Amino acid sequence: MTYECILTDVRGDGPRKTGLITLNRPKQLNALNDQLMDELGQALLAFDADDSIGCIVLTGSERAFAAGADIPTMAPHNFMSAFKSGLISKNWETILQVRKPVIAAVAGFALGGGCELAMMCDFIIAADTAKFGQPEIKLGIIPGAGGTQRLPRAVGKSKAMDMLLTARMMDAAEAERGGLVSRVVAADQLLNEALAAAETINGFSGPSAMLIKELVNLAYQGPLIDGVNVERRYFHALFGSDDQREGMDAFINKRKPDFKHS
Ligand code: CO8
């Protein structure tokens, strides 16, 4: 498959690899247009369906992860055309269908829809150059891909209100303090660090990784008790897997596990 707005690659030395997706509209700071979002969705689903892939890393350029939805594409719309066409919404949430872990590796600007896309990933590793923001208020609009909902859950109400209402950007250090990103690394180490995290995950049981992802998202999105109940069912279910027997036998016999991802 050849793409115009993204690059794809497969990385890693182990038996399970990492699918790498790079947003690639450098002149527009990776502004997210329809074509890019279509291609991103196709690439994500293709890696998700590929049994040799354990994890996906999504990244941008040194200057920008993504500076938001493509403003010239949105500018001509009125309410009815936005409502009737579902303005750029149809292909924005494909990423939420992906069952394997998706790591965002963010350098430079992650603004508006770019910040929202990063927040739809499972965790964010940031370069020390990263800047996060939801500046939609400056354009007379509001976030449209979950920014008003996911940002407060990530950084708390006060910081979210501050960012959404004043349009100020948060640098990488503040994003880490606030819990928006899991770690901050030197910009020239960003991709290595994200790929190393993916490789670590690839070495573990694939079913465990996918179920952890589903459960953490449940904790993040839904009521506590529902998440705890589903967790209990899946916890029991994994005692029917080969990887549970292998993982525990390896621990007891002080050897490295050889997971079959089944
Ligand atoms: N869309 C299109 N083009 C963009 C965008 C964008 N979001 N951001 C930057 N560009 C373009 C610029 O127009 C410029 O192009 P050109 O060279 O042809 O003039 C090029 O990228 C470089 O940008 P700048 O010259 O402005 O570079 P600076 O370093 O001076 O500034 C900034 C960088 C601060 C990132 C600045 O470009 C900026 O403020 N960009 C807009 C950021 C923004 O407002 N983002 C939010 C957009 S709205 C949104 O994302 C809503 C999401 C809704 C999703 C709904 C799904 C259902």
Side-chain angles (χ1 to χ4, degrees), residues 25-32 63-64 66-74 86-93 109 111-114 116 133-136 138-139 141-146 169:
R25 294 185 75 212
K27 289 199 183 109
Q28 296 84 10
L29 302 183
N30 292 332
L32 305 166
R63 199 166 162 215
D70 190 78
I71 297 170
T73 308
M74 291 185 290
L87 178 57
I88 60 170
S89 57
K90 58 187 183 302
N91 50 14
W92 272 71
E93 288 179 336
F109 298 110
L111 302 179
E116 292 173 300
Q134 297 286 165
E136 286 88 343
K138 284 163 70 178
L139 299 170
I141 58 168
I142 61 171
M169 293 184 212

Side-chain angles (χ1 to χ4, degrees), residues 146-174:
T148 62
Q149 305 303 299
R150 289 194 178 89
L151 192 61
R153 286 173 192 226
V155 303
K157 175 183 164 183
S158 194
K159 269 191 192 297
M161 284 284 193
D162 181 0
M163 289 174 67
L164 285 153
L165 292 173
T166 69
R168 82 172 173 86
M169 293 184 212
M170 194 183 256
D171 67 16
E174 185 180 5

Side-chain angles (χ1 to χ4, degrees), residues 118-239:
M119 288 192 289
M120 282 192 249
C121 296
D122 297 310
F123 62 98
I124 303 173
I125 299 181
D128 50 13
T129 58
K131 286 190 188 312
F132 298 87
Q134 297 286 165
E136 286 88 343
I137 196 167
K138 284 163 70 178
L139 299 170
I141 58 168
I142 61 171
T148 62
Q149 305 303 299
R150 289 194 178 89
L151 192 61
R153 286 173 192 226
V155 303
K157 175 183 164 183
S158 194
K159 269 191 192 297
M161 284 284 193
D162 181 0
M163 289 174 67
L164 285 153
L165 292 173
T166 69
R168 82 172 173 86
M169 293 184 212
M170 194 183 256
D171 67 16
E174 185 180 5
E176 187 182 29
R177 279 200 308 279
L180 179 61
V181 310
S182 67
R183 24 182 148 155
V184 177
V185 300
D188 62 359
Q189 285 308 309
L190 177 66
L191 194 55
N192 285 345
E193 191 88 14
L195 290 171
E199 187 124 336
T200 300
I201 297 167
N202 289 341
F204 297 134
S205 169
S208 294
M210 289 194 291
L211 292 180
I212 286 168
K213 166 173 175 150
E214 186 177 324
L215 288 161
V216 173
N217 280 326
L218 202 54
Y220 185 66
Q221 290 159 8
L224 177 67
I225 194 65
D226 289 353
V228 172
N229 285 336
V230 179
E231 180 192 66
R232 192 66 36 85
R233 289 290 162 272
Y234 285 168
F235 175 72
H236 290 155
L238 280 179
F239 284 81

